[in-house]
Amino acid sequence: MYVYLLNALYYTGTNIHSTGNIYLSPLICFLTSIFFMFGFVDKLAIYIITGIFAIIGNIGCYLLFRKYFDETLSLTGTVMYSTFSLYLTWVANGTLDIPATGITIWIVLFTIIAVRENPKYYEYLIPLFAIGFFTRYTVILTLPALLLFYVYENGFKIAPEDYKHIKRGIIIAIIMTAIILAILLIMGNGQFQAGNQITNGITGKQGADTDPAYNTDVSYYLMNLPNFISNSHTVFDGNPVLENPTVLSWAIFALLIIGAGFWLYDNKPKFEKTHVVPAVLILIAIITFTRISSVITTLLVLISLYLIGKDSENKDGYFMLAWIFSNIIFLSYYSIKVNRYIIPIFPPLIFFILTAIESIHKHVKINKNIIPILLIGLFIIQAFAFTFTFEPTNEYKATEEISNFLIAHDPNYKNEPIGVYNIRPYSWWLGENITGIISGAQDKIDSSNMTYYISNQKLDNLTNYTEIKNIDKLYLYEKSV
């Protein structure tokens, strides 16, 4: 969050170690900077912006589900989306995943409208995709699924009635992108590190093993999915870690399994000769998973879905599968794993939950509102109770508290050189006179000319510094006179 706050400051003209990071989420940072321009320079500004995007996403979620389900089921799906444990953990807290997912939902909604109802919506859809890209670059992961949806409906040729609207949309998006990139390149002194990140993702390069979120377990997101829906215990280890799935989570999986069973009974799928090629492609994708680029794996899966779904009456279901796979393949393949990254698959996952409920209603003679209303009630209860699952911690307040102590201790702190173990949060709290030195480099710290040093571990071998304060495993040292 702090890097986004510093970027927002840079948009107002104050550059505190932001030149190399200005490419990060320009949309959210710029909108946050508007609050700063009016004098409200507070981290609450980014909470407000990301909270507004969450509301916009929830509205879009309901409208998207209304394309497939009645009002009750659509409301159920929206309540579930906005009260899944993982969503609640990260909502309106300055991170980008929920705002990016909200924009993705609207992109999907506009895609459906443009392709099936009104091609004029391409003029809104394509610029919106550009906006989504500059909200969080991983929005691009859903693009293959959107292309598959178009091919399902129109084949591989652009329909004549679509062409002029697509052309206008592309022109608007190019102009927007050019302006944004020009600003980022100027403010970043010609740097645009997102380009390297995108290239690394395409070529198959993985994250550095020095990253605290480094994790090579490709099953991480799948195995933790029950916790992401509903969990009873949350601990903090750098990021919130959700544990112990509840009965509600397993009930959702039970609904999915039962609904899938009824769906299979109704449709009685048969293996035909036309299924041989997609089956082989999926097998190749499984065998080569993590051994080649995630782009290749995604391409194999999408070709398979196209071959299976092109003549099917269930194209929407295959499109939703493509939405899930185009995100989860890359995220599972990439060795930097943070639970919030998987939030974009929640809408298509809920689509299948609602479809399962419809299948159950066709075979079980109960009031069709019982299951939806029960789910709405249980997930609303979860929304109010989820904070009780959190293990008490001061981890996210300690940087602010120790910074405030230093400010009170030395009113002249802005003119004193200060060393810190992590430059981002302290640049926000203490200003630009900050130098990053890892806590493990005690000799370097001891021989430095820093007046103060903030460490995230106790340093027992310093001879030139004295500990003057510790707050929740953060230690403030002052140079001895």
Side-chain angles (χ1 to χ4, degrees), residues 42-57:
D42 192 283
K43 63 180 180 178
L44 181 60
I46 199 169
Y47 295 161
I48 294 171
I49 292 297
T50 52
I52 290 172
F53 272 86
I55 294 170
I56 292 171

Side-chain angles (χ1 to χ4, degrees), residues 176-194:
M176 289 172 52
T177 301
I179 293 172
I180 295 171
L181 283 177
I183 294 171
L184 295 178
L185 288 171
I186 292 170
M187 297 180 72
N189 290 340
Q191 300 179 63
F192 185 67
Q193 294 300 319

Side-chain angles (χ1 to χ4, degrees), residues 145-377:
L146 301 177
L147 295 175
L148 178 66
F149 181 82
Y150 185 89
V151 171
Y152 273 156
E153 296 293 319
N154 297 321
F156 289 94
K157 293 183 179 180
I158 298 177
E161 61 272 21
D162 296 347
Y163 180 78
K164 67 177 182 179
H165 299 294
I166 292 175
K167 181 180 177 181
R168 288 174 185 169
I170 290 175
I171 291 172
I172 296 170
I174 289 174
I175 293 172
M176 289 172 52
T177 301
I179 293 172
I180 295 171
L181 283 177
I183 294 171
L184 295 178
L185 288 171
I186 292 170
M187 297 180 72
N189 290 340
Q191 300 179 63
F192 185 67
Q193 294 300 319
N196 293 334
Q197 294 178 355
I198 295 168
T199 301
N200 290 342
I202 293 174
T203 58
K205 292 182 180 179
Q206 300 204 12
D209 57 10
T210 55
D211 193 299
Y214 184 81
N215 184 347
T216 58
D217 181 9
V218 296
S219 66
Y220 169 78
Y221 293 109
L222 182 62
M223 297 304 295
N224 281 284
L225 188 57
N227 290 315
F228 299 159
I229 294 173
S230 178
N231 77 303
S232 59
H233 187 221
T234 302
V235 297
F236 293 87
D237 184 17
N239 284 304
V241 178
L242 282 64
E243 301 175 336
N244 303 341
T246 68
V247 173
L248 178 57
S249 183
W250 297 122
I252 292 298
F253 282 98
L255 285 175
L256 273 171
I257 293 170
I258 295 170
F262 284 135
W263 186 89
L264 290 171
Y265 177 82
D266 290 337
N267 291 272
K268 296 180 175 61
K270 297 179 181 178
F271 188 83
E272 301 175 355
K273 290 182 179 180
T274 55
H275 295 155
V276 173
V277 173
V280 170
L281 292 176
I282 291 174
L283 182 61
I284 294 173
I286 294 172
I287 294 173
T288 60
F289 188 56
T290 73
R291 293 177 174 84
I292 56 176
S293 168
S294 60
V295 173
I296 302 300
T297 303
T298 301
L299 185 61
L300 291 171
V301 171
L302 290 179
I303 292 173
S304 302
L305 290 174
Y306 167 72
L307 294 174
I308 295 171
K310 63 186 178 72
D311 297 319
S312 171
E313 296 180 354
N314 302 299
K315 290 185 176 69
D316 290 317
Y318 291 116
F319 164 56
M320 293 294 171
L321 279 177
W323 184 350
I324 292 174
F325 282 125
S326 62
N327 281 273
I328 203 169
I329 289 173
F330 177 86
L331 296 172
S332 297
Y333 177 89
Y334 196 57
S335 57
I336 306 303
K337 295 181 175 66
V338 180
N339 52 27
R340 59 185 165 84
Y341 292 174
I342 204 64
I343 291 174
I345 76 161
F346 283 177
L349 172 63
I350 293 169
F351 169 88
F352 288 110
I353 296 171
L354 300 181
T355 302
I357 293 172
E358 280 194 330
S359 295
I360 292 171
H361 287 157
K362 291 179 182 178
H363 292 268
V364 180
K365 293 183 178 180
I366 58 173
N367 187 304
K368 69 174 185 177
N369 291 324
I370 289 179
I371 296 177
I373 291 175
L374 185 60
L375 289 176
I376 289 173

Side-chain angles (χ1 to χ4, degrees), residues 370-474:
I370 289 179
I371 296 177
I373 291 175
L374 185 60
L375 289 176
I376 289 173
L378 290 173
F379 276 100
I380 288 177
I381 292 172
Q382 171 164 288
F384 284 101
F386 92 103
T387 54
F388 294 104
T389 72
F390 281 46
E391 192 171 279
T393 181
N394 194 38
E395 182 174 348
Y396 299 102
K397 293 182 179 179
T399 54
E400 178 180 358
E401 290 177 356
I402 204 161
S403 298
N404 287 336
F405 174 85
L406 177 55
I407 292 169
H409 173 76
D410 186 350
N412 193 44
Y413 73 95
K414 287 186 177 181
N415 297 317
E416 301 290 351
I418 303 170
V420 294
Y421 67 93
N422 184 350
I423 197 169
R424 288 181 176 178
Y426 297 103
S427 294
W428 170 255
W429 294 116
L430 299 174
E432 59 185 333
N433 202 22
I434 300 293
T435 300
I437 308 176
I438 61 173
S439 296
Q442 293 197 43
D443 291 339
K444 185 175 181 180
I445 296 167
D446 219 13
S447 61
S448 73
N449 66 344
M450 301 296 163
T451 303
Y452 300 98
Y453 180 77
I454 300 175
S455 173
N456 61 344
Q457 62 186 57
K458 192 171 182 61
L459 305 178
D460 296 321
N461 298 323
L462 297 180
T463 58
N464 295 320
Y465 287 84
T466 302
E467 180 186 317
I468 61 173
K469 186 68 175 178
N470 68 80
I471 299 176
D472 197 37
K473 299 180 181 179
L474 295 182

